[in-house]
Each structure stands twice: as C-alpha cells, then as structure tokens.
Amino acid sequence: MNVRLIVNGRTINVEVTTPLSLLQVLREELGLLGTKDACEQGECGSCSILLNGDLVCSCLVMAADADDLEVTTVEGIGTDGNLHPLQRAFVEHGAVQCGFCTPGFIVAGVHLLDQNPVPTSGEIREALSGNLCRCTGYGGIERAIQSLVEGT
Amino acid sequence: MEIVRPDSVAGVLDALASHPDALVLAGGTDTMVLVNAGALRPEYVISLRHVEDLKAWNARFIGAGVTYARLEESEIAALAELSRTVGSPQIRAAGTLGGNLGTASPAGDALPFLAAVDATIELVSKHGSRTMPWDEFLIGPKQNALEPAEIILGAHLPDDMPWRTAFAKIGVRQAMVISIASVCVTRNEAGETTVALGAVGPTVLRARRAEMMVSAEKDPDEAALDEFQRLVSEESRPITDHRSTAEYRRMAVGVLARRALERCLV
Ligand SMILES: Cc1cc2nc3c(=O)[nH]c(=O)nc-3n(C[C@H](O)[C@H](O)[C@H](O)COP(=O)(O)OP(=O)(O)OC[C@H]3O[C@@H](n4cnc5c(N)ncnc54)[C@H](O)[C@@H]3O)c2cc1C
Ligand code: FES
Ligand code: FES
C-alpha cells in the first residue's frame, strides 16, 4: 500500500507491504540515517522523532499508520553548516562523545524547549529520561540545554 | 499487509467483523515491540489513531484511547502519579489506557488504579456493549475477557470517587521501569480504604484483609500501619522471575502500600 509521509516538510510517498516501523522506512527507504536504530523496543530513545509535534520513538510507530502525518527528524532540525542553536550548544558543552545518542537527544531537547522555554533542571532531566547515552555524557547534555534556557 | 484507519468506533467494528484476526493498533508501545522482534506478523491492522470517540475523557469515564501524557494532568492524584511513572515521555505520548487493558500484564501500571477504585470496563462489538467489573475483565496474566470481534471502549469510574488516592511503584531504577511491585491506595472521608497490588500476582489483586483492618482505624497509629503492611505482604501472591524474586516483591509491596496509605492520611 502507498503511504504518504510529510517528512521535514516534504511530502514523500513510499510503498509499504509489511508492518515495518517508521524508523525502518526513514532509514532504509528514505536514507535519513540521523534517526538511529538501536533497541527497537522503545528503551533507548535514539530513534526519537516528532510525529505531528509529539515526541515519540519511531521504532514503535507502524509506518503504515503514519500515513498523512507530519514527521520531523533531526535532519529537519539542523543541517551541515546550518546547525540548530541546540546542536551548537551540544558542541560547545561537550555533550557529544561517540555521538550515537545525539540525534535523539537533540530531537527531545528541541521538543522540550518548544513546549517549555524555561525548564528547571528537574524538568530537563525528566524530558530526557527516555534517551540513553552509553558514554554517560548526561552532564554535558544537561548543561547544553541549560545554556539555551539562560540565554532566553 | 493491509491497514485501515477508521474514524469511528462503528468503522472499527465493521472492519473487525470482516477480519476477526485483525491486529487492533493503539499507541503501538506493546505491539510494535513484538512486531520488531518478529513475534507478531499481522496481515490486517485496524488503527485506532483517528477514532475520536475513544479519546473521550471526563470525571466518570476514561476512553481507551486516552494517552498517559493526557492522564498525567488528571486531578485524581493516583491517576496522575501512575501516568507519570510510565516509561518515558516518548512512551507516554503514545501509550494508552486501552493498550494497558488490552495487554493485561500483571505489571500494567494503570491496572491497580482501576482495581482500587472498582472501575468497570466497557467493551463494544457489533452486537452492542457490555460493561463488567475490572476483576471479570482481567482474568489472568496477559489474559482478558475481550472477545475476538470486540474492542475496549474505556473504563467507567464510580460516582463517589474517594477523596484521597495514591500510587507507588518500585523498579530497578527511577525512570523507564516495568514495575517489580506497585500499589494504589484510596481512602474516603469515612476512612474506608482500598488497596490494589500490581506485579505481585497473576493479575492485579485487592488486599481485602488489609483494607478491612485499616478501614476500621479512624486514625491509624504506628502499630496499625505495621499490621497493615504485614497484611498486604501476606496477601500478595508474587512469583520469582527475571525482574525480581518473590521474597523481595512480598516485602516491597507491603512497604509501598504503607507509604501510599500514609500519603492518603495527611
Ligand atoms: C520502553 C517501554 C516502557 C514501558 N513502560 C511501562 C510502564 O512503566 N508501565 C506500564 O504499565 N507499561 C509500560 N509499557 C507498556 C505499554 O506502554 C503500556 O502497556 C501501554 O498502556 C500500551 O498502550 P498502547 O496504546 O501503546 O498499546 P498497543 O501496543 O497499541 O496495544 C496493546 C494491546 O492492546 C490491544 N488494544 C489496544 N487498544 C485496544 C482497544 N481499544 N480495544 C481492544 N484492544 C486494544 C492491542 O490489540 C494490543 O493487544 C512500556 C512499554 C515500553 C516499550
Ligand atoms: S531504537 Fe527506538 S527506542 Fe531504541
Ligand atoms: S555520546 Fe555515545 S551514546 Fe551518547
């Protein structure tokens, strides 16, 4: 069946014949490799995207059920040479080590700041509680987000 | 694979009548884990995403399609508390009450709440609707009373909701944990107390003897709280599995129940 996705503002049609996740379609069909594939169980948050503005794990969304919905991936947040302020803050605060978890944290962080421009430290931690970093860069990640809060 | 995405309950029931083996898909947070692991390979999917009727929510009724993200805002303390403990923001934005009832895991965090307030569950099929007490719906570990052509409409709450409610759970870490033990305690003005236990039995349990004992105490003192805790532990029916031991669960559920009760007393 044909599925119409609105990915980062662009309308894209894909053919889906299995109960594949949106994560698989983004990566394998659309070549959007920023959204990472790790646990496929909703545990790690590395596949985080915005679906009609909600922060969700794309591994838990059936691609066919995303027909006509708006999808924002990390590629829709910033691009090479045109980083989002939060991406710049991640670089400046050493919030990136191996970088595998970074796209998921950026999507979750951007979503947080959209919903709540002046989060407390507790609210930042809560908002990131669905994202795991195996290099344990949480301090840097929290400081990167905090830097944008103080700037507002 | 085929998917249909009706915008009404009637549309869902039509699709289900012609495809009794269909997968009913709500937030997908239980279902997609199975699909990704290759344990579930649906040929026909009925998505509830656009069924507005299932998203209805008021003081007396919670539609099956209401997400935890919404329930976090509830004025009922235990309901808001349990919703905040589910998974992560990503899981709460997608996961629904109906999915928790559909999966009927002994560790489902919404279930002790429904049991503690004596909620009734409404199911609908093309033949009409039926409403049953929570303990007739939840019949065993991952087993419920849903018939093939039926869906869960939602949960009805009683008119006289108790004054005080509290939820507590314990897992291996703070965030993103499946309960090793959970409890919901309610207490009304007259002191009548209910206690429901999760993850310490084949399905949610009510600790009836503990309830009776503490309901008779107007202002429970330390000795009464000790006895309450002891009875809750005694009434639990835990097993040992990969998450915890029966012994630990039995001890923990008593402590959790006491703490939740203390929060209802202040
Ligand atoms: C990382 C992670 C963390 C989690 N943490 C928790 C937690 O802390 N506490 C907890 O309780 N659960 C937790 N869960 C489990 C899950 O999120 C919940 O059980 C949730 O309520 C499922 O809802 P859903 O809408 O996503 O269900 P789905 O996956 O869409 O459906 C689950 C089942 O219910 C059926 N179903 C759904 N709606 C209906 C309906 N209206 N009528 C008939 N059948 C229906 C489906 O057919 C399926 O069998 C977690 C899951 C993940 C992946
Ligand atoms: S890959 Fe989706 S949460 Fe881990
Ligand atoms: S930077 Fe390596 S997992 Fe987070």
mmCIF file of all heavy atoms in Angstrom, chain A residues 1 17-19 21 40 42-43 48 51 55 57 59-62 64-65 67 69 126-127 129-131, chain B residues 1 3 5 25 27-29 32-33 35-36 41-42 45 47 49 88-93 173 175-176:
data_model
loop_
_atom_site.group_PDB
_atom_site.id
_atom_site.type_symbol
_atom_site.label_atom_id
_atom_site.label_comp_id
_atom_site.label_asym_id
_atom_site.label_seq_id
_atom_site.Cartn_x
_atom_site.Cartn_y
_atom_site.Cartn_z
ATOM 1 N N MET A 1 0.829 -1.201 0.000
ATOM 2 C CA MET A 1 0.000 0.000 0.000
ATOM 3 C C MET A 1 0.864 1.251 0.000
ATOM 4 O O MET A 1 2.005 1.228 0.456
ATOM 5 C CB MET A 1 -0.911 0.002 1.240
ATOM 6 C CG MET A 1 -0.158 0.025 2.557
ATOM 7 S SD MET A 1 -1.242 0.224 3.973
ATOM 8 C CE MET A 1 -1.784 1.914 3.749
ATOM 9 N N THR A 17 4.612 -2.821 2.491
ATOM 10 C CA THR A 17 3.873 -4.086 2.348
ATOM 11 C C THR A 17 3.916 -4.946 3.614
ATOM 12 O O THR A 17 3.352 -6.024 3.653
ATOM 13 C CB THR A 17 4.452 -4.921 1.184
ATOM 14 O OG1 THR A 17 5.851 -5.084 1.438
ATOM 15 C CG2 THR A 17 4.242 -4.238 -0.146
ATOM 16 N N THR A 18 4.625 -4.460 4.617
ATOM 17 C CA THR A 18 4.760 -5.223 5.873
ATOM 18 C C THR A 18 4.510 -4.274 7.048
ATOM 19 O O THR A 18 4.456 -3.053 6.862
ATOM 20 C CB THR A 18 6.187 -5.795 6.012
ATOM 21 O OG1 THR A 18 7.097 -4.700 6.099
ATOM 22 C CG2 THR A 18 6.553 -6.689 4.841
ATOM 23 N N PRO A 19 4.404 -4.821 8.284
ATOM 24 C CA PRO A 19 4.174 -3.948 9.438
ATOM 25 C C PRO A 19 5.427 -3.212 9.923
ATOM 26 O O PRO A 19 5.564 -2.901 11.104
ATOM 27 C CB PRO A 19 3.655 -4.931 10.505
ATOM 28 C CG PRO A 19 4.137 -6.260 10.109
ATOM 29 C CD PRO A 19 4.297 -6.254 8.639
ATOM 30 N N SER A 21 8.399 -0.658 10.939
ATOM 31 C CA SER A 21 8.333 0.570 11.734
ATOM 32 C C SER A 21 8.685 1.781 10.880
ATOM 33 O O SER A 21 9.376 1.677 9.864
ATOM 34 C CB SER A 21 9.292 0.481 12.924
ATOM 35 O OG SER A 21 10.629 0.532 12.485
ATOM 36 N N GLU A 40 15.082 -0.993 19.213
ATOM 37 C CA GLU A 40 13.766 -1.286 18.610
ATOM 38 C C GLU A 40 12.738 -1.767 19.647
ATOM 39 O O GLU A 40 11.850 -2.536 19.343
ATOM 40 C CB GLU A 40 13.898 -2.290 17.470
ATOM 41 C CG GLU A 40 14.665 -1.678 16.301
ATOM 42 C CD GLU A 40 14.533 -2.494 15.031
ATOM 43 O OE1 GLU A 40 15.324 -3.418 14.820
ATOM 44 O OE2 GLU A 40 13.620 -2.167 14.247
ATOM 45 N N GLY A 42 11.764 0.750 22.228
ATOM 46 C CA GLY A 42 11.322 1.954 22.924
ATOM 47 C C GLY A 42 12.139 2.315 24.153
ATOM 48 O O GLY A 42 11.781 3.214 24.896
ATOM 49 N N GLU A 43 13.265 1.616 24.351
ATOM 50 C CA GLU A 43 14.017 1.783 25.597
ATOM 51 C C GLU A 43 15.086 2.864 25.525
ATOM 52 O O GLU A 43 15.450 3.430 26.547
ATOM 53 C CB GLU A 43 14.729 0.469 25.970
ATOM 54 C CG GLU A 43 13.806 -0.709 26.203
ATOM 55 C CD GLU A 43 13.357 -0.826 27.650
ATOM 56 O OE1 GLU A 43 13.888 -0.084 28.495
ATOM 57 O OE2 GLU A 43 12.479 -1.663 27.913
ATOM 58 N N SER A 48 14.216 8.787 18.388
ATOM 59 C CA SER A 48 13.181 9.796 18.667
ATOM 60 C C SER A 48 12.918 10.701 17.460
ATOM 61 O O SER A 48 13.852 11.157 16.789
ATOM 62 C CB SER A 48 13.607 10.682 19.849
ATOM 63 O OG SER A 48 13.704 9.909 21.019
ATOM 64 N N LEU A 51 6.160 13.379 15.791
ATOM 65 C CA LEU A 51 5.077 12.918 14.929
ATOM 66 C C LEU A 51 3.907 13.842 15.210
ATOM 67 O O LEU A 51 3.373 13.848 16.329
ATOM 68 C CB LEU A 51 4.739 11.464 15.285
ATOM 69 C CG LEU A 51 3.784 10.723 14.349
ATOM 70 C CD1 LEU A 51 4.405 10.582 12.960
ATOM 71 C CD2 LEU A 51 3.442 9.344 14.920
ATOM 72 N N LEU A 55 6.635 14.010 20.710
ATOM 73 C CA LEU A 55 7.907 13.278 20.774
ATOM 74 C C LEU A 55 7.598 11.792 20.950
ATOM 75 O O LEU A 55 6.995 11.396 21.956
ATOM 76 C CB LEU A 55 8.712 13.790 21.974
ATOM 77 C CG LEU A 55 10.053 13.107 22.227
ATOM 78 C CD1 LEU A 55 11.063 13.446 21.124
ATOM 79 C CD2 LEU A 55 10.594 13.489 23.597
ATOM 80 N N CYS A 57 8.983 7.466 19.887
ATOM 81 C CA CYS A 57 10.015 6.572 19.357
ATOM 82 C C CYS A 57 9.549 6.076 17.998
ATOM 83 O O CYS A 57 8.496 5.432 17.905
ATOM 84 C CB CYS A 57 10.197 5.366 20.277
ATOM 85 S SG CYS A 57 10.816 5.797 21.905
ATOM 86 N N CYS A 59 10.633 3.727 16.316
ATOM 87 C CA CYS A 59 10.632 2.258 16.227
ATOM 88 C C CYS A 59 9.304 1.679 16.679
ATOM 89 O O CYS A 59 9.014 0.519 16.396
ATOM 90 C CB CYS A 59 11.782 1.651 17.032
ATOM 91 S SG CYS A 59 11.643 1.820 18.826
ATOM 92 N N LEU A 60 8.494 2.474 17.414
ATOM 93 C CA LEU A 60 7.210 1.958 17.914
ATOM 94 C C LEU A 60 6.025 2.478 17.107
ATOM 95 O O LEU A 60 4.879 2.271 17.477
ATOM 96 C CB LEU A 60 7.037 2.322 19.399
ATOM 97 C CG LEU A 60 8.095 1.765 20.347
ATOM 98 C CD1 LEU A 60 7.768 2.141 21.792
ATOM 99 C CD2 LEU A 60 8.227 0.258 20.208
ATOM 100 N N VAL A 61 6.326 3.173 16.011
ATOM 101 C CA VAL A 61 5.255 3.649 15.127
ATOM 102 C C VAL A 61 5.230 2.737 13.910
ATOM 103 O O VAL A 61 6.266 2.524 13.277
ATOM 104 C CB VAL A 61 5.514 5.105 14.664
ATOM 105 C CG1 VAL A 61 4.433 5.569 13.682
ATOM 106 C CG2 VAL A 61 5.608 6.038 15.867
ATOM 107 N N MET A 62 4.068 2.173 13.594
ATOM 108 C CA MET A 62 3.988 1.376 12.372
ATOM 109 C C MET A 62 3.954 2.360 11.205
ATOM 110 O O MET A 62 3.127 3.279 11.192
ATOM 111 C CB MET A 62 2.734 0.503 12.400
ATOM 112 C CG MET A 62 2.786 -0.636 11.395
ATOM 113 S SD MET A 62 1.300 -1.667 11.439
ATOM 114 C CE MET A 62 1.573 -2.659 12.902
ATOM 115 N N ALA A 64 2.884 2.310 8.238
ATOM 116 C CA ALA A 64 1.605 2.433 7.540
ATOM 117 C C ALA A 64 0.611 3.277 8.332
ATOM 118 O O ALA A 64 -0.314 3.852 7.768
ATOM 119 C CB ALA A 64 1.023 1.045 7.275
ATOM 120 N N ASP A 65 0.831 3.345 9.643
ATOM 121 C CA ASP A 65 -0.070 4.119 10.499
ATOM 122 C C ASP A 65 0.368 5.587 10.592
ATOM 123 O O ASP A 65 -0.243 6.386 11.293
ATOM 124 C CB ASP A 65 -0.119 3.468 11.892
ATOM 125 C CG ASP A 65 -1.240 4.019 12.766
ATOM 126 O OD1 ASP A 65 -2.280 4.427 12.207
ATOM 127 O OD2 ASP A 65 -1.065 4.064 13.995
ATOM 128 N N ASP A 67 0.602 7.379 7.825
ATOM 129 C CA ASP A 67 0.089 7.954 6.584
ATOM 130 C C ASP A 67 -0.499 9.338 6.862
ATOM 131 O O ASP A 67 -1.292 9.501 7.793
ATOM 132 C CB ASP A 67 -1.003 7.018 6.028
ATOM 133 C CG ASP A 67 -1.460 7.418 4.633
ATOM 134 O OD1 ASP A 67 -0.597 7.837 3.843
ATOM 135 O OD2 ASP A 67 -2.676 7.317 4.361
ATOM 136 N N LEU A 69 0.763 11.887 8.198
ATOM 137 C CA LEU A 69 1.204 12.600 9.411
ATOM 138 C C LEU A 69 2.510 13.349 9.132
ATOM 139 O O LEU A 69 3.262 13.008 8.215
ATOM 140 C CB LEU A 69 1.394 11.626 10.575
ATOM 141 C CG LEU A 69 0.178 10.785 10.987
ATOM 142 C CD1 LEU A 69 0.496 9.988 12.244
ATOM 143 C CD2 LEU A 69 -1.054 11.656 11.209
ATOM 144 N N GLU A 126 13.763 15.144 33.367
ATOM 145 C CA GLU A 126 12.547 14.374 33.088
ATOM 146 C C GLU A 126 12.327 14.262 31.574
ATOM 147 O O GLU A 126 12.023 13.187 31.053
ATOM 148 C CB GLU A 126 11.360 15.067 33.775
ATOM 149 C CG GLU A 126 10.000 14.467 33.491
ATOM 150 C CD GLU A 126 9.919 12.975 33.760
ATOM 151 O OE1 GLU A 126 10.469 12.522 34.797
ATOM 152 O OE2 GLU A 126 9.317 12.262 32.927
ATOM 153 N N ALA A 127 12.520 15.394 30.880
ATOM 154 C CA ALA A 127 12.265 15.406 29.438
ATOM 155 C C ALA A 127 13.241 14.501 28.678
ATOM 156 O O ALA A 127 12.945 14.057 27.576
ATOM 157 C CB ALA A 127 12.351 16.831 28.896
ATOM 158 N N SER A 129 14.447 11.664 30.000
ATOM 159 C CA SER A 129 14.526 10.366 30.686
ATOM 160 C C SER A 129 14.282 9.187 29.751
ATOM 161 O O SER A 129 14.565 8.050 30.103
ATOM 162 C CB SER A 129 13.543 10.330 31.862
ATOM 163 O OG SER A 129 12.224 10.508 31.387
ATOM 164 N N GLY A 130 13.787 9.455 28.550
ATOM 165 C CA GLY A 130 13.592 8.365 27.593
ATOM 166 C C GLY A 130 14.756 8.195 26.637
ATOM 167 O O GLY A 130 14.665 7.424 25.685
ATOM 168 N N ASN A 131 15.852 8.913 26.873
ATOM 169 C CA ASN A 131 17.021 8.835 25.994
ATOM 170 C C ASN A 131 18.224 8.334 26.779
ATOM 171 O O ASN A 131 18.560 8.883 27.822
ATOM 172 C CB ASN A 131 17.336 10.212 25.405
ATOM 173 C CG ASN A 131 16.241 10.706 24.489
ATOM 174 O OD1 ASN A 131 15.170 11.115 24.941
ATOM 175 N ND2 ASN A 131 16.483 10.642 23.195
ATOM 176 N N MET B 1 0.474 -6.861 3.739
ATOM 177 C CA MET B 1 -0.273 -6.354 4.898
ATOM 178 C C MET B 1 -1.228 -5.228 4.480
ATOM 179 O O MET B 1 -0.917 -4.422 3.630
ATOM 180 C CB MET B 1 0.701 -5.790 5.937
ATOM 181 C CG MET B 1 0.004 -5.369 7.205
ATOM 182 S SD MET B 1 0.991 -4.280 8.249
ATOM 183 C CE MET B 1 0.767 -2.682 7.467
ATOM 184 N N ILE B 3 -3.848 -2.130 6.080
ATOM 185 C CA ILE B 3 -4.195 -1.361 7.288
ATOM 186 C C ILE B 3 -5.433 -0.532 6.993
ATOM 187 O O ILE B 3 -5.573 -0.011 5.875
ATOM 188 C CB ILE B 3 -3.012 -0.478 7.768
ATOM 189 C CG1 ILE B 3 -3.322 0.171 9.123
ATOM 190 C CG2 ILE B 3 -2.650 0.574 6.733
ATOM 191 C CD1 ILE B 3 -2.120 0.838 9.782
ATOM 192 N N ARG B 5 -7.780 2.663 8.784
ATOM 193 C CA ARG B 5 -7.713 3.657 9.854
ATOM 194 C C ARG B 5 -9.055 4.375 9.971
ATOM 195 O O ARG B 5 -9.196 5.528 9.581
ATOM 196 C CB ARG B 5 -6.561 4.627 9.586
ATOM 197 C CG ARG B 5 -5.234 3.863 9.384
ATOM 198 C CD ARG B 5 -4.014 4.692 9.616
ATOM 199 N NE ARG B 5 -3.911 5.837 8.768
ATOM 200 C CZ ARG B 5 -3.173 6.905 9.069
ATOM 201 N NH1 ARG B 5 -2.513 6.967 10.211
ATOM 202 N NH2 ARG B 5 -3.113 7.906 8.243
ATOM 203 N N LEU B 25 -4.509 -1.748 16.658
ATOM 204 C CA LEU B 25 -3.298 -0.996 16.996
ATOM 205 C C LEU B 25 -3.662 0.338 17.633
ATOM 206 O O LEU B 25 -4.321 1.167 17.007
ATOM 207 C CB LEU B 25 -2.486 -0.745 15.712
ATOM 208 C CG LEU B 25 -1.188 0.040 15.844
ATOM 209 C CD1 LEU B 25 -0.136 -0.740 16.633
ATOM 210 C CD2 LEU B 25 -0.638 0.401 14.464
ATOM 211 N N GLY B 27 -1.484 2.813 20.631
ATOM 212 C CA GLY B 27 -0.224 3.555 20.630
ATOM 213 C C GLY B 27 0.949 2.736 20.107
ATOM 214 O O GLY B 27 2.013 3.292 19.809
ATOM 215 N N GLY B 28 0.784 1.442 20.039
ATOM 216 C CA GLY B 28 1.832 0.581 19.484
ATOM 217 C C GLY B 28 2.987 0.275 20.432
ATOM 218 O O GLY B 28 3.924 -0.436 20.053
ATOM 219 N N THR B 29 2.934 0.764 21.664
ATOM 220 C CA THR B 29 4.119 0.629 22.538
ATOM 221 C C THR B 29 4.294 -0.793 23.071
ATOM 222 O O THR B 29 5.390 -1.162 23.472
ATOM 223 C CB THR B 29 4.082 1.629 23.702
ATOM 224 O OG1 THR B 29 2.923 1.377 24.504
ATOM 225 C CG2 THR B 29 4.057 3.062 23.206
ATOM 226 N N MET B 32 4.345 -2.925 18.847
ATOM 227 C CA MET B 32 5.474 -2.786 17.921
ATOM 228 C C MET B 32 6.735 -3.451 18.450
ATOM 229 O O MET B 32 7.603 -3.845 17.676
ATOM 230 C CB MET B 32 5.715 -1.311 17.575
ATOM 231 C CG MET B 32 4.716 -0.738 16.584
ATOM 232 S SD MET B 32 4.597 -1.679 15.030
ATOM 233 C CE MET B 32 6.166 -1.256 14.244
ATOM 234 N N VAL B 33 6.833 -3.587 19.769
ATOM 235 C CA VAL B 33 7.979 -4.323 20.330
ATOM 236 C C VAL B 33 7.929 -5.763 19.806
ATOM 237 O O VAL B 33 8.949 -6.331 19.395
ATOM 238 C CB VAL B 33 7.951 -4.277 21.871
ATOM 239 C CG1 VAL B 33 9.032 -5.183 22.461
ATOM 240 C CG2 VAL B 33 8.128 -2.843 22.373
ATOM 241 N N VAL B 35 6.248 -6.790 17.062
ATOM 242 C CA VAL B 35 6.420 -6.778 15.604
ATOM 243 C C VAL B 35 7.907 -6.680 15.256
ATOM 244 O O VAL B 35 8.422 -7.431 14.428
ATOM 245 C CB VAL B 35 5.627 -5.611 14.972
ATOM 246 C CG1 VAL B 35 6.016 -5.421 13.508
ATOM 247 C CG2 VAL B 35 4.120 -5.848 15.106
ATOM 248 N N ASN B 36 8.615 -5.764 15.933
ATOM 249 C CA ASN B 36 10.040 -5.578 15.630
ATOM 250 C C ASN B 36 10.844 -6.838 15.930
ATOM 251 O O ASN B 36 11.841 -7.129 15.274
ATOM 252 C CB ASN B 36 10.620 -4.411 16.441
ATOM 253 C CG ASN B 36 10.070 -3.066 15.979
ATOM 254 O OD1 ASN B 36 9.588 -2.933 14.865
ATOM 255 N ND2 ASN B 36 10.138 -2.060 16.847
ATOM 256 N N ARG B 41 3.216 -10.893 13.313
ATOM 257 C CA ARG B 41 3.258 -10.515 11.898
ATOM 258 C C ARG B 41 1.850 -10.345 11.359
ATOM 259 O O ARG B 41 1.333 -11.203 10.659
ATOM 260 C CB ARG B 41 4.021 -11.597 11.118
ATOM 261 C CG ARG B 41 4.913 -10.975 10.086
ATOM 262 C CD ARG B 41 5.935 -11.824 9.460
ATOM 263 N NE ARG B 41 6.383 -11.179 8.230
ATOM 264 C CZ ARG B 41 6.987 -9.997 8.183
ATOM 265 N NH1 ARG B 41 7.197 -9.327 9.290
ATOM 266 N NH2 ARG B 41 7.365 -9.469 7.029
ATOM 267 N N PRO B 42 1.210 -9.230 11.714
ATOM 268 C CA PRO B 42 -0.191 -9.056 11.336
ATOM 269 C C PRO B 42 -0.353 -8.914 9.830
ATOM 270 O O PRO B 42 0.475 -8.308 9.160
ATOM 271 C CB PRO B 42 -0.585 -7.751 12.036
ATOM 272 C CG PRO B 42 0.703 -7.018 12.204
ATOM 273 C CD PRO B 42 1.754 -8.059 12.413
ATOM 274 N N VAL B 45 -4.375 -4.815 9.847
ATOM 275 C CA VAL B 45 -4.240 -3.954 11.023
ATOM 276 C C VAL B 45 -5.383 -2.938 11.036
ATOM 277 O O VAL B 45 -5.700 -2.342 10.003
ATOM 278 C CB VAL B 45 -2.889 -3.202 11.002
ATOM 279 C CG1 VAL B 45 -2.764 -2.249 12.182
ATOM 280 C CG2 VAL B 45 -1.726 -4.198 11.000
ATOM 281 N N SER B 47 -6.112 0.477 12.814
ATOM 282 C CA SER B 47 -5.518 1.524 13.637
ATOM 283 C C SER B 47 -6.617 2.329 14.334
ATOM 284 O O SER B 47 -7.616 2.690 13.720
ATOM 285 C CB SER B 47 -4.685 2.463 12.758
ATOM 286 O OG SER B 47 -4.472 3.681 13.446
ATOM 287 N N ARG B 49 -5.907 5.215 15.694
ATOM 288 C CA ARG B 49 -5.339 6.566 15.792
ATOM 289 C C ARG B 49 -6.353 7.685 15.562
ATOM 290 O O ARG B 49 -6.294 8.730 16.209
ATOM 291 C CB ARG B 49 -4.184 6.701 14.784
ATOM 292 C CG ARG B 49 -3.451 8.019 14.855
ATOM 293 C CD ARG B 49 -2.339 8.117 13.823
ATOM 294 N NE ARG B 49 -1.226 7.219 14.073
ATOM 295 C CZ ARG B 49 -0.241 7.468 14.934
ATOM 296 N NH1 ARG B 49 -0.236 8.571 15.639
ATOM 297 N NH2 ARG B 49 0.741 6.611 15.095
ATOM 298 N N SER B 88 8.623 6.609 29.524
ATOM 299 C CA SER B 88 9.360 7.846 29.302
ATOM 300 C C SER B 88 8.412 8.803 28.602
ATOM 301 O O SER B 88 7.317 8.403 28.211
ATOM 302 C CB SER B 88 10.544 7.541 28.387
ATOM 303 O OG SER B 88 10.040 7.098 27.128
ATOM 304 N N PRO B 89 8.808 10.052 28.399
ATOM 305 C CA PRO B 89 7.908 10.964 27.670
ATOM 306 C C PRO B 89 7.479 10.379 26.319
ATOM 307 O O PRO B 89 6.316 10.523 25.917
ATOM 308 C CB PRO B 89 8.762 12.225 27.480
ATOM 309 C CG PRO B 89 9.721 12.203 28.628
ATOM 310 C CD PRO B 89 10.020 10.745 28.880
ATOM 311 N N GLN B 90 8.412 9.709 25.640
ATOM 312 C CA GLN B 90 8.090 9.132 24.326
ATOM 313 C C GLN B 90 6.999 8.065 24.454
ATOM 314 O O GLN B 90 6.107 7.971 23.601
ATOM 315 C CB GLN B 90 9.349 8.483 23.710
ATOM 316 C CG GLN B 90 10.386 9.453 23.170
ATOM 317 C CD GLN B 90 11.410 9.891 24.209
ATOM 318 O OE1 GLN B 90 11.134 9.947 25.404
ATOM 319 N NE2 GLN B 90 12.609 10.213 23.757
ATOM 320 N N ILE B 91 7.112 7.234 25.489
ATOM 321 C CA ILE B 91 6.131 6.154 25.678
ATOM 322 C C ILE B 91 4.788 6.755 26.102
ATOM 323 O O ILE B 91 3.720 6.332 25.643
ATOM 324 C CB ILE B 91 6.623 5.148 26.748
ATOM 325 C CG1 ILE B 91 7.958 4.522 26.334
ATOM 326 C CG2 ILE B 91 5.562 4.075 27.040
ATOM 327 C CD1 ILE B 91 7.944 3.755 25.051
ATOM 328 N N ARG B 92 4.823 7.767 26.959
ATOM 329 C CA ARG B 92 3.569 8.351 27.468
ATOM 330 C C ARG B 92 2.814 9.121 26.387
ATOM 331 O O ARG B 92 1.598 9.271 26.457
ATOM 332 C CB ARG B 92 3.867 9.257 28.658
ATOM 333 C CG ARG B 92 4.518 8.499 29.804
ATOM 334 C CD ARG B 92 4.444 9.249 31.095
ATOM 335 N NE ARG B 92 5.350 10.387 31.173
ATOM 336 C CZ ARG B 92 6.616 10.335 31.571
ATOM 337 N NH1 ARG B 92 7.154 9.181 31.907
ATOM 338 N NH2 ARG B 92 7.338 11.417 31.639
ATOM 339 N N ALA B 93 3.543 9.635 25.396
ATOM 340 C CA ALA B 93 2.876 10.361 24.315
ATOM 341 C C ALA B 93 2.088 9.400 23.433
ATOM 342 O O ALA B 93 1.138 9.799 22.768
ATOM 343 C CB ALA B 93 3.911 11.111 23.471
ATOM 344 N N ARG B 173 15.333 1.060 38.558
ATOM 345 C CA ARG B 173 15.877 2.413 38.522
ATOM 346 C C ARG B 173 14.710 3.389 38.546
ATOM 347 O O ARG B 173 13.559 2.983 38.610
ATOM 348 C CB ARG B 173 16.788 2.622 37.302
ATOM 349 C CG ARG B 173 16.115 2.350 35.971
ATOM 350 C CD ARG B 173 17.130 2.167 34.842
ATOM 351 N NE ARG B 173 17.662 3.429 34.351
ATOM 352 C CZ ARG B 173 17.168 4.100 33.320
ATOM 353 N NH1 ARG B 173 16.106 3.671 32.675
ATOM 354 N NH2 ARG B 173 17.728 5.217 32.915
ATOM 355 N N ALA B 175 13.730 5.920 36.225
ATOM 356 C CA ALA B 175 12.935 6.159 35.020
ATOM 357 C C ALA B 175 12.827 4.873 34.223
ATOM 358 O O ALA B 175 13.656 3.977 34.344
ATOM 359 C CB ALA B 175 13.606 7.238 34.169
ATOM 360 N N MET B 176 11.771 4.793 33.400
ATOM 361 C CA MET B 176 11.670 3.729 32.405
ATOM 362 C C MET B 176 11.776 2.340 33.004
ATOM 363 O O MET B 176 12.649 1.566 32.663
ATOM 364 C CB MET B 176 12.833 3.923 31.421
ATOM 365 C CG MET B 176 12.755 3.069 30.193
ATOM 366 S SD MET B 176 11.696 3.819 29.052
ATOM 367 C CE MET B 176 12.914 4.596 28.015
#
